[in-house]
Coordinates of all heavy atoms in Angstrom, one line a residue:
M1 N 104.4 104.0 86.1 CA 104.8 102.6 85.8 C 103.6 101.8 85.4 O 103.7 101.0 84.6 CB 105.5 102.2 87.1 CG 106.1 100.8 87.0 SD 107.0 100.4 88.5 CE 108.5 99.9 87.7
C2 N 102.5 101.9 86.2 CA 101.3 101.1 85.9 C 100.6 101.6 84.7 O 100.3 102.8 84.5 CB 100.4 101.2 87.1 SG 98.8 100.2 86.9
Q3 N 100.2 100.7 83.8 CA 99.4 101.0 82.6 C 98.0 100.5 82.6 O 97.3 100.7 81.7 CB 100.2 100.4 81.4 CG 101.6 100.8 81.2 CD 101.7 102.3 80.9 OE1 101.0 102.9 80.2 NE2 102.7 102.9 81.5
H4 N 97.6 100.0 83.8 CA 96.2 99.5 83.9 C 95.2 100.6 84.0 O 95.5 101.7 84.5 CB 96.1 98.6 85.2 CG 97.0 97.4 85.1 ND1 98.1 97.3 86.0 CD2 97.1 96.4 84.3 CE1 98.7 96.2 85.7 NE2 98.2 95.6 84.7
Q5 N 94.0 100.3 83.6 CA 92.9 101.3 83.8 C 91.8 100.6 84.5 O 91.3 99.6 84.2 CB 92.3 101.7 82.4 CG 93.3 102.6 81.7 CD 93.6 103.9 82.5 OE1 92.8 104.5 83.1 NE2 94.9 104.3 82.4
P6 N 91.3 101.1 85.7 CA 92.0 102.3 86.4 C 93.3 101.9 86.9 O 93.6 100.7 87.1 CB 91.0 102.5 87.6 CG 90.4 101.2 87.8 CD 90.3 100.5 86.4
P7 N 94.2 102.9 87.1 CA 95.6 102.6 87.6 C 95.6 101.9 89.0 O 94.7 102.2 89.8 CB 96.3 103.9 87.6 CG 95.2 105.0 87.4 CD 93.9 104.3 87.0
C8 N 96.6 101.1 89.2 CA 96.8 100.5 90.4 C 97.3 101.5 91.4 O 97.8 102.5 91.1 CB 97.8 99.3 90.3 SG 97.2 97.9 89.3
P9 N 97.1 101.2 92.8 CA 97.7 102.1 93.8 C 99.2 102.3 93.6 O 99.9 101.4 93.2 CB 97.4 101.3 95.1 CG 96.4 100.3 94.8 CD 96.6 99.9 93.3
T10 N 99.6 103.5 94.0 CA 101.0 103.8 93.9 C 101.8 103.1 95.0 O 101.2 102.5 95.9 CB 101.3 105.3 94.0 OG1 100.9 105.7 95.4 CG2 100.5 106.1 93.0
A11 N 103.1 103.0 94.9 CA 104.0 102.4 95.8 C 103.8 103.0 97.3 O 104.1 102.3 98.3 CB 105.4 102.4 95.4
H12 N 103.4 104.2 97.4 CA 103.3 104.9 98.7 C 101.9 104.9 99.2 O 101.6 105.5 100.3 CB 103.9 106.3 98.6 CG 105.4 106.2 98.5 ND1 106.3 105.9 99.5 CD2 106.2 106.4 97.4 CE1 107.5 105.8 99.1 NE2 107.5 106.1 97.8
S13 N 100.9 104.3 98.5 CA 99.5 104.2 98.9 C 99.4 103.2 100.0 O 100.2 102.2 100.0 CB 98.6 103.8 97.8 OG 98.6 104.8 96.8
A14 N 98.4 103.4 100.9 CA 98.2 102.4 102.0 C 97.8 101.0 101.4 O 98.1 100.0 102.0 CB 97.2 102.9 102.9
D15 N 97.1 101.0 100.3 CA 96.7 99.7 99.7 C 97.6 99.3 98.5 O 97.2 98.6 97.6 CB 95.3 99.8 99.2 CG 95.1 100.9 98.2 OD1 96.0 101.8 98.0 OD2 94.0 100.9 97.5
R16 N 98.9 99.6 98.6 CA 99.9 99.3 97.5 C 100.0 97.8 97.2 O 100.3 97.4 96.1 CB 101.3 99.8 97.9 CG 101.9 99.1 99.1 CD 103.3 99.7 99.5 NE 103.5 99.5 100.9 CZ 103.3 100.4 101.8 NH1 102.9 101.7 101.4 NH2 103.5 100.2 103.1
E17 N 99.7 96.9 98.2 CA 99.7 95.5 98.0 C 98.7 94.9 97.1 O 98.7 93.8 96.6 CB 99.7 94.7 99.3 CG 100.9 95.0 100.2 CD 100.7 94.5 101.6 OE1 99.8 93.6 101.8 OE2 101.5 94.8 102.4
S18 N 97.7 95.8 96.7 CA 96.6 95.3 95.9 C 96.9 95.6 94.3 O 96.1 95.3 93.5 CB 95.3 96.0 96.2 OG 95.4 97.4 96.0
A19 N 98.1 96.1 94.1 CA 98.5 96.3 92.6 C 98.7 94.9 92.0 O 98.9 93.9 92.7 CB 99.8 97.1 92.6
R20 N 98.6 94.9 90.7 CA 98.7 93.6 90.0 C 100.2 93.1 89.9 O 101.1 93.8 89.9 CB 98.2 93.8 88.5 CG 96.7 94.2 88.5 CD 96.3 94.1 87.1 NE 95.0 94.7 87.0 CZ 94.3 94.8 85.8 NH1 94.8 94.3 84.7 NH2 93.1 95.3 85.8
L21 N 100.2 91.8 89.9 CA 101.5 91.1 89.8 C 102.1 91.3 88.4 O 101.5 91.2 87.4 CB 101.4 89.6 90.0 CG 101.1 89.1 91.4 CD1 100.9 87.7 91.5 CD2 102.4 89.5 92.3
V22 N 103.4 91.6 88.4 CA 104.2 91.6 87.1 C 105.0 90.3 87.0 O 105.2 89.8 86.0 CB 105.1 92.9 87.0 CG1 106.0 92.9 85.9 CG2 104.2 94.1 87.1
A23 N 105.6 90.0 88.1 CA 106.5 88.8 88.2 C 106.2 88.1 89.5 O 106.1 88.8 90.6 CB 107.9 89.1 88.0
H24 N 106.2 86.8 89.5 CA 105.9 86.0 90.7 C 106.9 84.9 90.8 O 107.0 84.1 89.9 CB 104.5 85.5 90.8 CG 104.1 84.7 92.0 ND1 104.1 85.2 93.2 CD2 103.6 83.5 92.1 CE1 103.7 84.3 94.1 NE2 103.4 83.3 93.4
H25 N 107.8 84.8 91.9 CA 108.8 83.8 92.0 C 108.7 83.1 93.4 O 109.5 83.4 94.3 CB 110.2 84.4 91.8 CG 110.4 84.8 90.4 ND1 110.7 83.9 89.4 CD2 110.2 86.1 89.8 CE1 110.8 84.6 88.2 NE2 110.5 85.9 88.5
P26 N 107.6 82.3 93.6 CA 107.5 81.7 95.0 C 108.7 80.9 95.4 O 108.9 80.8 96.6 CB 106.2 80.9 94.8 CG 106.1 80.7 93.3 CD 106.7 81.8 92.6
E27 N 109.4 80.3 94.4 CA 110.5 79.5 94.8 C 111.7 80.4 95.4 O 112.5 79.8 96.1 CB 111.1 78.7 93.6 CG 111.8 79.6 92.5 CD 110.8 80.3 91.6 OE1 109.6 80.3 91.7 OE2 111.4 81.1 90.7
Q28 N 111.6 81.6 95.1 CA 112.6 82.6 95.7 C 112.0 83.5 96.7 O 112.8 84.2 97.4 CB 113.2 83.4 94.5 CG 114.0 82.7 93.5 CD 114.5 83.6 92.4 OE1 114.2 84.7 92.3 NE2 115.2 82.9 91.5
G29 N 110.7 83.4 96.9 CA 110.1 84.1 98.0 C 109.7 85.6 97.7 O 109.6 86.3 98.7
W30 N 109.5 85.9 96.5 CA 109.2 87.3 96.2 C 108.3 87.5 95.0 O 108.2 86.6 94.2 CB 110.5 88.2 96.0 CG 111.3 87.8 94.9 CD1 112.3 86.8 94.9 CD2 111.3 88.3 93.5 NE1 112.9 86.7 93.6 CE2 112.3 87.6 92.8 CE3 110.5 89.2 92.8 CZ2 112.5 87.9 91.4 CZ3 110.7 89.5 91.5 CH2 111.7 88.8 90.8
S31 N 107.7 88.7 94.9 CA 106.9 89.0 93.7 C 107.1 90.5 93.5 O 107.3 91.3 94.4 CB 105.3 88.8 94.1 OG 105.1 87.5 94.3
L32 N 107.0 90.9 92.2 CA 107.1 92.2 91.8 C 105.7 92.7 91.4 O 105.0 92.1 90.5 CB 108.0 92.4 90.6 CG 108.2 93.8 90.0 CD1 108.7 94.8 91.1 CD2 109.0 93.8 88.8
L33 N 105.2 93.8 91.9 CA 104.0 94.4 91.6 C 104.2 95.5 90.6 O 105.2 96.1 90.4 CB 103.3 95.0 92.9 CG 103.1 94.0 94.0 CD1 102.5 94.7 95.2 CD2 102.3 92.8 93.6
C34 N 103.1 95.9 89.8 CA 103.2 96.8 88.7 C 103.5 98.2 89.2 O 103.9 99.1 88.4 CB 102.0 96.8 87.9 SG 100.5 97.5 88.6
N35 N 103.4 98.5 90.5 CA 103.8 99.8 91.0 C 105.2 99.8 91.5 O 105.7 100.8 92.1 CB 102.8 100.2 92.2 CG 102.8 99.2 93.3 OD1 103.6 98.3 93.3 ND2 101.9 99.4 94.3
G36 N 106.0 98.8 91.2 CA 107.4 98.8 91.5 C 107.7 98.2 92.9 O 108.9 98.1 93.2
V37 N 106.8 97.8 93.6 CA 107.0 97.2 95.0 C 107.4 95.8 94.9 O 106.8 95.0 94.1 CB 105.7 97.3 95.8 CG1 105.9 96.6 97.1 CG2 105.3 98.8 96.1
L38 N 108.5 95.4 95.6 CA 108.9 94.0 95.7 C 108.2 93.5 97.0 O 108.4 94.1 98.1 CB 110.4 93.9 95.9 CG 111.2 93.9 94.6 CD1 112.7 93.9 94.9 CD2 110.8 92.6 93.8
L39 N 107.4 92.5 96.9 CA 106.6 92.0 98.0 C 107.3 90.6 98.3 O 107.3 89.7 97.5 CB 105.2 91.8 97.6 CG 104.2 91.3 98.6 CD1 104.2 92.2 99.8 CD2 102.8 91.1 98.0
F40 N 107.7 90.5 99.6 CA 108.4 89.2 100.0 C 107.5 88.3 100.7 O 106.4 88.7 101.3 CB 109.6 89.5 100.9 CG 110.6 90.3 100.1 CD1 110.7 91.7 100.2 CD2 111.5 89.7 99.3 CE1 111.6 92.4 99.5 CE2 112.5 90.4 98.6 CZ 112.5 91.8 98.7
E41 N 107.8 87.0 100.7 CA 107.0 85.9 101.2 C 106.7 86.2 102.7 O 105.7 85.8 103.3 CB 107.7 84.6 101.1 CG 107.0 83.4 101.5 CD 107.7 82.2 101.2 OE1 108.6 81.8 102.0 OE2 107.4 81.5 100.2
D42 N 107.6 86.8 103.5 CA 107.4 87.0 104.9 C 106.6 88.3 105.2 O 106.5 88.7 106.3 CB 108.8 87.2 105.6 CG 109.6 88.4 105.2 OD1 109.2 89.2 104.3 OD2 110.6 88.7 105.8
T43 N 106.0 88.9 104.1 CA 105.2 90.1 104.1 C 106.0 91.4 104.3 O 105.3 92.4 104.3 CB 104.0 90.1 105.1 OG1 104.5 90.2 106.4 CG2 103.2 88.8 105.0
G44 N 107.3 91.3 104.1 CA 108.1 92.5 104.0 C 108.0 93.1 102.6 O 107.6 92.4 101.7
E45 N 108.4 94.4 102.5 CA 108.3 95.0 101.2 C 109.5 95.9 101.0 O 110.1 96.4 101.9 CB 107.0 95.9 101.0 CG 105.8 95.1 101.2 CD 104.5 96.0 101.3 OE1 104.6 97.1 101.0 OE2 103.5 95.5 101.9
L46 N 109.9 96.1 99.7 CA 110.9 97.0 99.3 C 110.2 97.9 98.3 O 109.8 97.5 97.2 CB 112.1 96.3 98.7 CG 113.2 97.2 98.2 CD1 113.8 98.0 99.5 CD2 114.3 96.3 97.6
L47 N 110.2 99.2 98.6 CA 109.5 100.2 97.7 C 110.6 100.6 96.7 O 111.8 100.5 96.8 CB 109.0 101.4 98.5 CG 108.0 101.1 99.6 CD1 107.5 102.4 100.3 CD2 106.9 100.2 99.2
P48 N 110.1 101.1 95.5 CA 111.0 101.6 94.4 C 112.1 102.6 94.9 O 113.1 102.6 94.3 CB 110.1 102.2 93.4 CG 108.7 101.6 93.7 CD 108.7 101.3 95.1
D49 N 111.8 103.4 95.9 CA 112.8 104.3 96.3 C 113.8 103.8 97.3 O 114.6 104.5 97.9 CB 112.1 105.6 96.9 CG 111.3 105.3 98.2 OD1 111.3 104.1 98.6 OD2 110.7 106.3 98.7
G50 N 113.7 102.5 97.6 CA 114.6 101.8 98.5 C 114.1 101.7 100.0 O 114.8 101.1 100.8
Q51 N 112.9 102.3 100.2 CA 112.4 102.3 101.6 C 112.0 100.8 101.9 O 111.4 100.1 101.0 CB 111.2 103.2 101.7 CG 110.5 103.2 103.1 CD 109.3 104.1 103.1 OE1 109.0 104.8 102.2 NE2 108.6 104.1 104.2
I52 N 112.3 100.4 103.1 CA 112.0 99.0 103.5 C 110.7 99.1 104.4 O 110.6 99.9 105.4 CB 113.1 98.4 104.3 CG1 114.4 98.3 103.4 CG2 112.8 97.1 104.9 CD1 115.7 97.9 104.2
I53 N 109.8 98.2 104.1 CA 108.6 98.0 105.0 C 108.8 96.7 105.7 O 108.9 95.7 105.1 CB 107.3 98.0 104.2 CG1 107.2 99.3 103.2 CG2 106.1 97.8 105.1 CD1 107.1 100.6 104.0
A54 N 108.8 96.7 107.0 CA 109.1 95.5 107.8 C 107.9 94.5 107.6 O 106.8 94.9 107.3 CB 109.2 95.8 109.3
P55 N 108.2 93.2 107.8 CA 107.1 92.2 107.7 C 106.0 92.6 108.7 O 106.2 93.1 109.8 CB 107.8 90.9 108.2 CG 109.3 91.1 107.8 CD 109.5 92.6 108.0
H56 N 104.8 92.4 108.2 CA 103.6 92.8 109.0 C 102.5 91.7 108.9 O 101.4 91.9 108.5 CB 103.0 94.1 108.5 CG 102.9 94.2 107.0 ND1 104.0 94.5 106.2 CD2 101.9 94.1 106.2 CE1 103.6 94.6 105.0 NE2 102.3 94.3 104.9
R57 N 102.9 90.5 109.4 CA 102.0 89.4 109.4 C 100.9 89.7 110.5 O 101.3 90.2 111.6 CB 102.7 88.1 109.8 CG 103.6 87.7 108.7 CD 104.2 86.4 109.0 NE 105.2 86.0 108.0 CZ 105.7 84.8 107.8 NH1 105.3 83.8 108.7 NH2 106.5 84.5 106.9
P58 N 99.7 89.3 110.2 CA 98.6 89.5 111.2 C 98.9 88.5 112.4 O 99.4 87.4 112.2 CB 97.3 89.2 110.5 CG 97.8 88.4 109.3 CD 99.2 88.8 108.9
L59 N 98.6 89.0 113.6 CA 98.8 88.2 114.7 C 97.6 87.1 114.8 O 96.5 87.5 114.4 CB 98.7 89.0 116.0 CG 99.8 90.1 116.2 CD1 99.5 90.8 117.4 CD2 101.1 89.3 116.3
A60 N 97.9 86.0 115.2 CA 96.9 84.9 115.4 C 95.9 85.3 116.4 O 96.3 85.9 117.5 CB 97.5 83.6 115.8
T61 N 94.7 85.1 116.2 CA 93.6 85.5 117.1 C 92.8 84.2 117.5 O 92.7 83.3 116.7 CB 92.6 86.5 116.5 OG1 92.1 86.0 115.4 CG2 93.3 87.8 116.2
G62 N 92.4 84.2 118.7 CA 91.6 83.0 119.2 C 92.4 81.8 119.5 O 91.8 80.8 119.7
R63 N 93.7 81.9 119.5 CA 94.6 80.8 119.7 C 95.1 80.9 121.2 O 95.6 81.9 121.6 CB 95.7 80.7 118.8 CG 95.3 80.5 117.3 CD 96.4 80.5 116.5 NE 97.1 79.2 116.5 CZ 98.2 78.9 116.0 NH1 98.9 79.8 115.4 NH2 98.8 77.7 116.1
V64 N 95.0 79.8 121.9 CA 95.5 79.8 123.2 C 96.7 78.8 123.2 O 96.6 77.6 122.8 CB 94.5 79.3 124.2 CG1 95.0 79.2 125.6 CG2 93.2 80.3 124.2
V65 N 97.9 79.3 123.7 CA 99.1 78.4 123.8 C 99.2 78.1 125.2 O 99.4 79.0 126.0 CB 100.3 79.1 123.1 CG1 101.5 78.3 123.2 CG2 100.0 79.5 121.7
T66 N 99.4 76.8 125.5 CA 99.6 76.3 126.8 C 100.9 75.5 126.9 O 101.2 74.9 125.9 CB 98.5 75.5 127.4 OG1 98.2 74.4 126.5 CG2 97.2 76.3 127.5
A67 N 101.5 75.5 128.0 CA 102.8 74.7 128.1 C 102.3 73.2 128.3 O 101.3 73.0 129.0 CB 103.6 75.2 129.3
A68 N 103.1 72.3 127.8 CA 102.8 70.9 127.9 C 103.3 70.3 129.1 O 104.3 70.7 129.7 CB 103.2 70.1 126.7

């Protein structure tokens, strides 16, 4: 699918999110990468084979939440 040189990571590579954007629709909350991965605003992903990758936002660090 990817025609870039060097080629972008495949959809099943650990670094698949570093592939180049083909389409970006922030108003709808998704982007299509050149490796066929649909990347959603909530950090979830849909791979070309239909596999779902659950959202994986990094946890906040150094924040202390206290009750008011």
Side-chain angles (χ1 to χ4, degrees):
M1 186 173 231
C2 177
Q3 301 296 318
H4 300 113
Q5 289 301 324
C8 292
T10 67
H12 291 285
S13 297
D15 59 345
R16 65 181 153 261
E17 295 172 10
S18 64
R20 294 189 193 183
L21 285 174
V22 173
H24 182 58
H25 294 278
E27 71 282 359
Q28 296 177 356
W30 63 272
S31 298
L32 175 64
L33 304 179
C34 71
N35 56 8
V37 172
L38 277 173
L39 182 61
F40 295 98
E41 185 177 82
D42 69 354
T43 70
E45 300 171 19
L46 180 62
L47 303 185
D49 64 2
Q51 181 181 355
I52 297 169
I53 307 296
H56 47 278
R57 293 183 184 196
L59 297 175
T61 58
R63 298 178 78 193
V64 177
V65 178
T66 59

